[in-house]
């Protein structure tokens, strides 16, 4: 079955690892930095990053219905799975939009292309976390807003 192209962005929610001034995909086998000035384009990393030492290349474009590849997001913020990363990483959640090839699921979707729309602050943040999150939000051109503004996405 062919995966449809989505011309209208699909809104969703996800969590990133926050470190070194970037947003990073937090749950993939390989940490992937999200570009600050353009959308992230998905690649299948089932066999890791292709390199001189790892020449294996995926046999399909991401996302693929028969693989777990693609940029993951959930439809409702309360469906986010928060897995604490190892130091020096911190977690930050937010709202994203995805488009291109999109595989829809029961609780979320996997997209070919995505970008962050806003980041959510946590009431327990200390001053260093606020400073780090503020710098990242500024670099990505997105606001930091309260979790209370989060509502289920519409597909």
């Amino acid at each position: 079955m062919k995966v449809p192209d989505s011309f209208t962005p699909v809104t969703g929610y996800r969590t990133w690892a926050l470190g070194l001034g970037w947003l990073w995909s937090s749950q993939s086998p390989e940490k992937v930095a999200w570009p600050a000035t353009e959308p992230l384009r998905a690649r299948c990393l089932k066999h890791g990053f292709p390199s001189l030492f790892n020449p294996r290349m995926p046999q399909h474009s991401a996302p693929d219905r028969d693989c777990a590849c693609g940029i993951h997001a959930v439809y409702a913020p309360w469906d986010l799975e928060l897995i604490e990363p190892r130091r020096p990483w911190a977690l930050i959640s937010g709202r994203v939009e995805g488009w291109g090839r999109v595989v829809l699921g029961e609780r979320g979707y996997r997209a070919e292309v995505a970008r962050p729309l806003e980041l959510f602050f946590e009431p327990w943040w200390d001053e260093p976390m606020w400073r780090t999150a503020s710098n990242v939000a500024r670099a990505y051109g997105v606001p930091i807003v309260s979790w209370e503004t989060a509502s289920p996405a519409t597909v």
Side-chain angles (χ1 to χ4, degrees), residues 41-96:
R41 183 165 294 278
R43 303 188 321 178
C44 181
L45 298 176
K46 182 176 183 178
H47 303 294
F49 281 106
S51 70
L52 179 63
F53 303 105
N54 181 17
R56 296 179 72 182
M57 296 293 288
Q59 301 298 311
H60 58 265
S61 298
D64 185 79
R65 187 170 301 284
D66 298 322
C67 186
C69 61
I71 303 166
H72 294 243
V74 294
Y75 300 127
W78 49 82
D79 283 336
L80 289 170
E81 294 178 11
L82 301 178
I83 299 169
E84 191 62 35
R86 288 178 287 180
R87 291 205 178 274
W89 303 97
L91 285 181
I92 191 165
S93 298
R95 192 166 59 92
V96 298

